Amino acid sequence: MSISDDVALTRQGAWARRHSLSFDGGGVRGYSSLLILQKLIAEIKDIEVNGSDPATSSYHPEPYNEPFNSSRNSGNGNIVSSHQAREETHRYLPCHYFDFIAGTSTGGLIAIMLARLRMSVDDAIEVFEDLSKEVFSGSRAPVWFPWIYTYNHKNLERVIKKIVDKRIPTTDPNWSTREKEFFTELTGICNCIVVANGKTKQANTPYIFRSYISPPTTGDRKRSANFIRNPGVRDHYPIWMVARATSAAPGYLREMHIEGREFIDGAIGFNNPTEELYDEVEYLYGTKANSLILSIGTGSHEPRSSNFKPIGVVADALRMATDCQRIHKNMEQRCDREEGFGYYRLNVENNLGDIKIGAYRELPRIKKITEEYLSMPDVRKTLHEVAEILVKNRRDRISKNIDRWEAFCCDTRYQCICGPHKRCQYGYHERTRHRFVEHLKRDHEITNDDEKKKIIEESKNIFIQSMAKRAFTVRQS
């Protein structure tokens, strides 16, 4: 199913309203962003549980699906993740409330975890704690480059590969390789956007990695694509490569080369990806498609003089690059101009931005500062307001099209196993249960309820496995 098919299927009510989440870059300060999101999910959980139709998970009314290799019960002694705290929010996934999750640099890593790997915020926090320690306390770059790269990029690569392997196990080598690509054939689910900088001879230009099909700039789209980055490209790269590309901060981690192109940290000029996200949604679905964008920052700071010290020059350049207020002001103006568009920004302002991007030992301090911010009445009010909007939209979608909800929240596909039929022999599949039942009745004349139920359960998600086998066969031929 293409993006256009997805639009045709959902161009009604709650399914036409696009809700998006954006994360700034900021190294270990991304920990603050996750803590803010955790508080939002806690608000969501309270509303869901106390509603007229209590929902014990964000899958509701579908049964809760415990994620494979969840770290929820690991008991690893991390800073935030007590068992009691995890029990509060782990059953409510951000990817069930947002249509797009975007990020730059560290925010890009977070977006990958929440959208592409569909993790709970609690699992993402545990992973982030471990990642920060392993990457920023590990071995430095090779001794012959000590003044260029502060940290060894191989440590980050190893950690990201480990995260992906844990979430996508290698039960079938052919399929798992396909699944570990950033681009996914699955449509109609929460999409992931990661912003990096692609270096050219002339300048650094932003490059958007997409987990979904982006149509080329033709027809009406061409007129609205003035600021769309690399449309029409399918990013069939391993997830770890995309994560490395967006986090290759100059002076900290070595640049990433993909198919002959050099990528560096998206934070250099595009640390706040909210405008890129807004334009992307409008490009895909048309004007008025953006209903809500929540932007989460990594702290503000005051510029400092470098005093001509090499290390200071690099540090100050990065500090200035991570000042996202200009984008925030632009988004506020868009919100004022456009009726029906809600824009929210949550960003700790109490000296959080002064913490260096690799200071992993400062995680307890980041937690303390963020908790103080989250206790402010205005912040609590904003969190509750956003949570109410997200919960209402989720429930409205279920009431409008429950089959569509099953596909969105569970990644389901139905591939016909009845054959022979002129369409079934080519791997005929449907995105929703309703359409699949119509196919069984129309093309196979199956009307017996018990027989239909048996075929439906056996056909569910077989499409995913067959796609992998066909893709592998094509690559081998």
Side-chain angles (χ1 to χ4, degrees), residues 19-278:
H19 295 73
S20 303
L21 177 61
S22 174
F23 291 101
D24 292 4
V28 297
R29 299 196 304 273
Y31 190 53
S32 173
S33 302
L34 282 169
L35 295 176
I36 291 171
L37 180 63
Q38 186 182 50
K39 190 68 172 179
L40 172 65
I41 297 298
E43 287 284 337
I44 286 173
K45 178 252 181 185
D46 289 342
I47 296 171
E48 292 277 29
V49 170
N50 296 314
S52 57
D53 180 21
T56 57
S57 81
S58 58
Y59 287 87
H60 180 83
E62 294 294 319
Y64 173 68
N65 182 18
E66 181 73 39
F68 183 87
N69 272 344
S70 170
S71 59
R72 185 170 56 87
N73 295 316
S74 61
N76 58 8
N78 287 358
I79 299 169
V80 171
S81 307
S82 68
H83 180 74
Q84 183 176 0
R86 289 195 303 268
E87 285 298 322
E88 290 296 311
T89 53
H90 79 276
R91 297 169 68 91
Y92 300 85
L93 304 186
C95 63
H96 288 165
Y97 296 93
F98 294 99
D99 300 287
F100 288 83
I101 300 181
T104 296
S105 189
T106 300
L109 299 180
I110 294 173
I112 288 172
M113 288 191 287
L114 299 177
R116 182 59 186 85
L117 299 179
R118 301 174 67 83
M119 294 171 64
S120 71
V121 66
D122 303 305
D123 282 349
I125 286 175
E126 289 193 9
V127 167
F128 193 92
E129 291 170 352
D130 294 337
L131 181 149
S132 298
K133 183 176 181 179
E134 290 190 45
V135 173
F136 296 118
S137 68
S139 60
R140 291 171 58 89
V143 293
W144 52 91
F145 293 136
W147 60 92
I148 298 180
Y149 308 117
T150 305
Y151 304 103
N152 194 333
H153 64 281
K154 292 184 178 180
N155 294 336
L156 178 58
E157 290 179 9
R158 185 185 67 254
V159 173
I160 296 171
K161 288 177 181 178
K162 184 170 66 175
I163 295 169
V164 174
D165 288 343
K166 186 176 182 180
R167 299 293 298 189
I168 306 174
T170 311
T171 53
D172 180 345
N174 302 334
W175 175 227
S176 63
T177 299
R178 180 76 167 179
E179 267 288 84
K180 291 174 184 178
E181 290 181 356
F182 183 71
F183 176 84
T184 174
E185 298 289 348
L186 298 175
T187 59
I189 59 175
C190 179
N191 298 301
C192 185
I193 293 176
V194 172
V195 181
N197 266 303
K199 296 185 69 175
T200 66
K201 291 182 180 180
Q202 291 75 28
N204 296 333
T205 58
Y207 185 98
I208 289 183
F209 291 96
R210 301 172 175 90
S211 66
Y212 53 91
I213 298 173
S214 171
T217 54
T218 57
D220 292 337
R221 282 196 174 92
K222 192 170 185 178
R223 291 193 292 273
S224 64
N226 295 331
F227 303 103
I228 300 303
R229 319 293 183 179
N230 50 281
V233 178
R234 299 191 181 192
D235 296 311
H236 286 289
Y237 310 124
I239 294 172
W240 73 265
M241 283 189 178
V242 176
R244 267 279 288 119
T246 191
S247 56
Y252 289 88
L253 290 164
R254 188 175 183 176
E255 66 278 358
M256 182 66 188
H257 292 268
I258 301 177
E259 294 186 348
R261 187 171 185 179
E262 182 177 312
F263 291 92
I264 60 172
D265 194 337
I268 309 304
F270 301 94
N271 197 51
N272 182 344
T274 308
E275 275 193 313
E276 300 287 336
L277 171 60
Y278 179 95

Side-chain angles (χ1 to χ4, degrees), residues 7-27:
V7 173
L9 181 64
T10 64
R11 182 60 73 186
Q12 54 177 324
W15 287 107
R17 297 193 292 266
R18 307 292 165 174
H19 295 73
S20 303
L21 177 61
S22 174
F23 291 101
D24 292 4

